Structures are given as C-alpha cells and as structure tokens.
Amino acid sequence: MNQLFLPLLLMLVVAIPLIMGSRKQKRAAQEQKNLQTSLSEGDRVMTTSGLYGTVADTSDDTTIDIEIAPGVVTTWLRQAVREKVAPPVDDEFDDSAEQSASAVEVVDETPAAETSGAQVAPPLEHGKK
C-alpha cells in the first residue's frame, strides 16, 4: 500500500491542473460562441484586430456586416468579433456646461511665455529646404 501511495499522489498532482485548465478553456470557448450568436444589429463591437464598429447586418450564419464609419460597411467572419463594447460617449454639451463656460471672464490674453521671459523655440519646418 505504501509503495502505491507516492505514484498515485504524483499522478493526482499532474492530472488536477490539466483537468482544471481544460474546463476553463471549454468555458471560455462557450462564452465566445454565445457572444457570436447573440450579436444583433446596433451592437458596438471590437474585432480581434482591434477595429471598433457597429453591427449593421446579422442575416448570415457565418459573416456579419460591421459599419466602421458613417456609410462604410465591411463584412467580417463572426469569429473575428472579440467582444461587445459600450457605445461611444456623446460629445454634445448640455445647457449647464454652456452657461458655466459663458460665465468665465478672460482676465489677461497675453501668453505666459511672453510675460515670464521664457524663450520659445520657433516651430520646426519639416521637408522645406
């Protein structure tokens, strides 16, 4: 009995991480498959190459159309979608931001470099000879 204990313990030490790793990999593959089947028009996604876009058409089983810019629609394999992302934040200001911006007074329009005596280098002119 004592002679079988050490080999059995070694097999358990090797087998448990292998089993746990394969379970984790299967779970991740299932989550990715669920994501790809749950895509619908209007979802904001990121592809495996890092391209962001909005799903425009999901009628095909193997491909989807992604709008990457207004009026620019490209066709991608569903497997190329890496994840859904949050929609972009709208850059419009609300009324309170406009009111607070108009309440700010301009005290001095002189640049700080002119008043402090700091030297400013002229801009570089690339490609001009």
Side-chain angles (χ1 to χ4, degrees):
M1 176 73 178
N2 198 12
Q3 295 174 347
L4 293 177
F5 182 71
L6 186 59
L8 185 62
L9 184 63
L10 286 174
M11 287 180 15
L12 282 175
V13 167
V14 171
I16 289 176
L18 290 175
I19 292 171
M20 298 301 284
S22 66
R23 289 183 63 211
K24 189 175 185 179
Q25 189 176 13
K26 284 180 185 178
R27 188 177 337 120
Q30 184 63 35
E31 287 176 6
Q32 189 69 17
K33 185 177 179 180
N34 290 341
L35 167 74
Q36 292 166 357
T37 57
S38 71
L39 292 174
S40 62
E41 294 180 15
D43 287 344
R44 185 101 170 119
V45 295
M46 182 179 76
T47 64
T48 54
S49 60
L51 183 77
Y52 289 88
T54 305
V55 177
D57 183 27
T58 59
S59 60
D60 193 11
D61 290 337
T62 58
T63 61
I64 60 170
D65 290 339
I66 298 177
E67 184 176 18
I68 56 175
V72 181
V73 178
T74 57
T75 302
W76 293 75
L77 288 173
R78 282 186 183 262
Q79 288 83 4
V81 175
R82 182 177 189 172
E83 63 183 271
K84 285 185 185 180
V85 294
V89 177
D90 198 9
D91 291 332
E92 293 181 22
F93 295 103
D94 60 352
D95 292 335
S96 62
E98 289 176 8
Q99 290 173 357
S100 64
S102 64
V104 175
E105 290 183 29
V106 177
V107 176
D108 189 12
E109 295 183 11
T110 314
E114 291 178 14
T115 59
S116 67
Q119 295 180 348
V120 179
L124 295 175
E125 296 182 9
H126 296 286
K128 294 184 180 180
K129 291 185 180 184

